[in-house]
Amino acid sequence: MVAPPAFRLPDPGTISGAWSARLSDDPDRLLLHADGVWTNRGDFLDRTAVVAGRLAGAGLVAGDRVLLSGPSSVDLAVAHVACLRSGLVVVPVNGGYTRNELAHIVADSRPSAALVDQKGWKEILVGLAPELRAAGTDVCWDDAPVPNLDSVGPADPALIGYTSGTTGAPKGAVLTQANLLAGAESVRQAWHWTAEDRLLLCLPLFHMHGLGVGLHGTLLTGGSAVLHQGFDQHRVLGDIGSHGCTMFFGVPTMYHHLVDDSEVGTLSSLRLCVSGSAPLSPLLHGRLRDRAGISVLERYGMTETVMLVSNPYEGERRAGSVGFPLPGVELRLAEGTGEIQVRGPNVFDGYWERPDADDQAFVDGPGGRWFRTGDLGSVDDDGYVSIVGRSKELIITGGFNVHPREVDDTLAAHPGVSEVAVAGVPSEEWGEDVVAWIVPTPGAPPPTAEVLRDFGRNHLAAHKLPRRVVVTGSLPRNALGKVLRHELREAVSDE
Ligand code: AMP
């Protein structure tokens, strides 16, 4: 078990209270840039008060849920902060969701309002829940008196993040004001994030990485952020220079595109490049170092916990490792399985109206309840944590365990492989077979299973090597670049 360093939440112990305190200071200072325009701290806070008035005028009261979804914009950030300052519970929703996925979230969270920018969504949502009040994220409702702001307590719910990992019907993880504050404060400390920083933020704001780290951290530190709607590598590299950015947060897929850009050296002007949400292969870590001269800092977090573990700001940023538990986080590996279990002020209390899921998600241990992340880990002698896989993705072939990620990392080094993911598919003989899905390198002949087995033989035991190779044009990934291994498996069982 790794003991946490001393950690204290900033006053007043709520995320919205801490933001207001920070942003009331020096109101002319630039805060967010979007669509060619800067918004300063003072205007931003004033706008959150106006929106809070409109939400109250529409009859919303503390504890009510509000669906929030749209491409990144200052309006979206204002609406989010206005909700939290009013004690409303934000339910961020992926703008790519289908009607069925929306229907599940609406039925489960029973929102009183929806602030959504996607075309056709207001109609769909009102169709699903006729009593729901719907508007765009600009909240064009009548002005009304501003209610009491920032009066909620640390234990009050602030956000419900729907998550299924990468399988199953999504469950709502309820994060309190204190959870969100702890999540942002821990990376503020660990990454030496200050008001002088400027973040290039192209991650979506419906997910913890972009929202709970990128936006929340910017508002907490009083730094500034340049918001992009989606990832465009040329715009990213251009704006880093033209806006004098100091930090970039990305997912591995983004770095995969950036590394081959002739302008990738621009990243070396940043003081910090962070990767997370999915594993950054050691190969890509090394290529970024060679081609751009940067040592990407990889970190690990989840919807249920905000951030958990990070490579050090100073000291070795180890490829293939996620580093050390962040301030406030206690981490242990379960005996036998090696599952990563965590505790801390950032860790949520439970899923929305799902005591059955809570029973599975938490386990009693030293000091109280521990959250079972479902990730399998190892800890080096010098304390660096690595994620070796997800417990649900473990392949068992002929009675032997195979962590797909280890095989991915080995096969990715083959020159004929651009991207690869392995998964287990049912096999009468072995229980499961290791199958590799590969996107071949353009212009190169796709390697066969035999070629890949030969290639991997020096690194991996025979049972880990793929019995079959499926050549594909792209791997199925979620919005954050995580490979959806169950979709690979399903595609094979449908054959
Ligand atoms: P989400 O709740 O969508 O943020 O997904 C959380 C999951 O993403 C974790 O449980 C991990 O399985 C995975 N994850 C996040 N960061 C990393 C990382 N740096 N390396 C490997 N997996 C990661």
Side-chain angles (χ1 to χ4, degrees), residues 125-144:
L125 289 163
V126 173
L128 289 166
E131 68 290 355
L132 177 144
R133 296 281 318 258
T137 59
D138 53 359
V139 199
C140 278
W141 291 336
D142 292 342
D143 284 340

Side-chain angles (χ1 to χ4, degrees), residues 163 165 207-208 275-280 298-304 322 373 375 387 390 405 478 482:
T163 173
H207 186 263
M208 261 318 155
S275 175
S277 294
L280 182 73
E298 186 173 6
R299 97 297 175 282
Y300 156 55
M302 299 179 76
T303 304
E304 291 92 334
V322 286
T373 63
D375 293 310
I387 300 172
R390 296 256 333 142
R405 191 175 155 196
N478 71 10
K482 263 190 270 273

Side-chain angles (χ1 to χ4, degrees), residues 138-157:
D138 53 359
V139 199
C140 278
W141 291 336
D142 292 342
D143 284 340
V146 179
N148 219 355
L149 297 177
D150 307 321
S151 57
V152 288
D156 286 322

Side-chain angles (χ1 to χ4, degrees), residues 348-378:
F348 81 136
D349 264 349
Y351 294 103
W352 173 254
E353 298 180 345
R354 288 291 304 273
D356 57 319
D358 292 348
D359 287 346
Q360 306 225 325
F362 292 94
V363 58
D364 287 332
R369 277 193 339 158
W370 292 73
F371 173 56
R372 306 178 53 190
T373 63
D375 293 310
L376 305 175
S378 64

Side-chain angles (χ1 to χ4, degrees), residues 15 153-159 174-182 345 347-349:
I15 188 116
D156 286 322
L159 186 143
V174 184
L175 289 134
T176 63
Q177 287 268 343
N179 293 150
L180 295 180
L181 180 58
V347 177
F348 81 136
D349 264 349

Side-chain angles (χ1 to χ4, degrees), residues 60 63-67 88-91 109-113 160 352:
L60 296 173
D64 283 351
R65 275 81 58 208
V66 178
L67 290 196
L88 298 168
V89 182
V90 171
V91 183
S109 65
R110 302 184 308 280
S112 303
I160 302 182
W352 173 254

